[in-house]
Amino acid sequence: MAKQLDYTTMREIFTRFQDAEAEPKGELNHVNAYTLVVAVALSAQATDAGVNKATAKLFEIADTPEKMLELGEEGLIEHIKTIGLFRNKAKNVIKMSRILVDQYGGEVPNSRAALEGLPGVGRKTANVVLNMWWRYPAQAVDTHIFRLGNRSGIAPGKDVVAVERAIEDNVPVDFQQHAHHWMILHGRYICQARKPKCGACLIRDLCQFEDKQL
C-alpha cells in the first residue's frame, strides 16, 4: 500500500484530471433517480455496457417503481437475463420497488441510510445515486478506485470504507464532486489491474506505484 500523497501533489493530480475532462459522467444510462438506482444495483459484478444493453428497452416500459411492479419479477428477468446474478437482482429490484411505493410514495429517498435500507442497495450504490442525481459529493468506491487509490497514494486504505474516507479527507474540496468519477474512469481505462497503461497516464510522474509499465 502506498503512502498518502501530500496536499500539493493531490491538488496537482486532480487539476490534471479536471483539465483533461472537466465534467466526467457516469456510464450507466438512466432517465431519473429510480432508473439510476436500478441500473447501479444491476451493475454489481457486471459491466456498465452490459447493463445498458439490458436496460435499454426495460426503462422504456418500467421507469418508475409502480411500472416495475406491474412488469413483475418474471417480466423483469426477461430483460436482464444476460446480466450476472439476474434472478437475485430481479428479486431485489421488485422488493425495492415495493418499498419505494409503500414507504416513500414512489420516490427515491435522498439520505444514505434510507437508500442503504433498500434491497440490493449497498453503500457504493447509495453514494453513486447521491452523487450523480443529487450532486452530493459522496465517494462511491469500486474495485477501480480501490486499486488506483492504493497504487498511487491518492487514497490508500485496507478496505473500501477506508479508501472512501481517504478521498473525503485528502482530495481538495473543489474537486470532491467529480473525484470518484475521475478515479473510476482512470482506473477502468488507464490504471488497469493486470496491465496498467502507465505510458499513457497523465499522473505517472506523481504516482507512487513502483511497478510502472511502459
Side-chain angles (χ1 to χ4, degrees), residues 134-149:
W134 282 287
R135 308 287 292 178
Y136 178 78
Q139 307 302 331
V141 178
D142 68 352
T143 56
H144 301 301
I145 290 181
F146 187 81
R147 179 176 63 252
L148 174 61

Side-chain angles (χ1 to χ4, degrees), residues 97-124:
S97 300
R98 173 53 63 193
I99 291 173
L100 290 176
V101 170
D102 291 348
Q103 298 183 23
Y104 298 100
E107 299 295 325
V108 176
N110 63 352
S111 83
R112 184 183 285 113
L115 286 167
E116 287 190 57
L118 298 173
V121 178
R123 188 176 183 86
K124 186 192 81 169

Side-chain angles (χ1 to χ4, degrees), residues 77-191:
I77 284 175
E78 285 302 306
H79 286 276
I80 67 171
K81 59 186 178 182
T82 57
I83 300 175
L85 306 175
F86 66 90
R87 291 191 183 279
N88 189 56
K89 289 177 179 178
K91 288 181 181 179
N92 282 334
V93 168
I94 295 301
K95 289 179 182 178
M96 173 178 69
S97 300
R98 173 53 63 193
I99 291 173
L100 290 176
V101 170
D102 291 348
Q103 298 183 23
Y104 298 100
E107 299 295 325
V108 176
N110 63 352
S111 83
R112 184 183 285 113
L115 286 167
E116 287 190 57
L118 298 173
V121 178
R123 188 176 183 86
K124 186 192 81 169
T125 298
N127 282 344
V128 169
V129 175
L130 291 172
N131 183 287
M132 290 182 62
W133 193 257
W134 282 287
R135 308 287 292 178
Y136 178 78
Q139 307 302 331
V141 178
D142 68 352
T143 56
H144 301 301
I145 290 181
F146 187 81
R147 179 176 63 252
L148 174 61
N150 278 289
R151 273 182 178 173
S152 65
I154 292 174
K158 294 182 179 180
D159 55 44
V160 294
V161 175
V163 170
E164 179 184 328
R165 180 60 58 84
I167 296 171
E168 292 173 344
D169 289 348
N170 295 288
V171 174
V173 68
D174 45 320
F175 299 117
Q176 288 275 338
Q177 178 63 51
H178 295 309
H180 93 274
H181 275 132
W182 283 316
M183 293 180 70
I184 286 173
L185 295 172
H186 194 73
R188 180 176 292 162
Y189 298 112
I190 303 297
C191 194

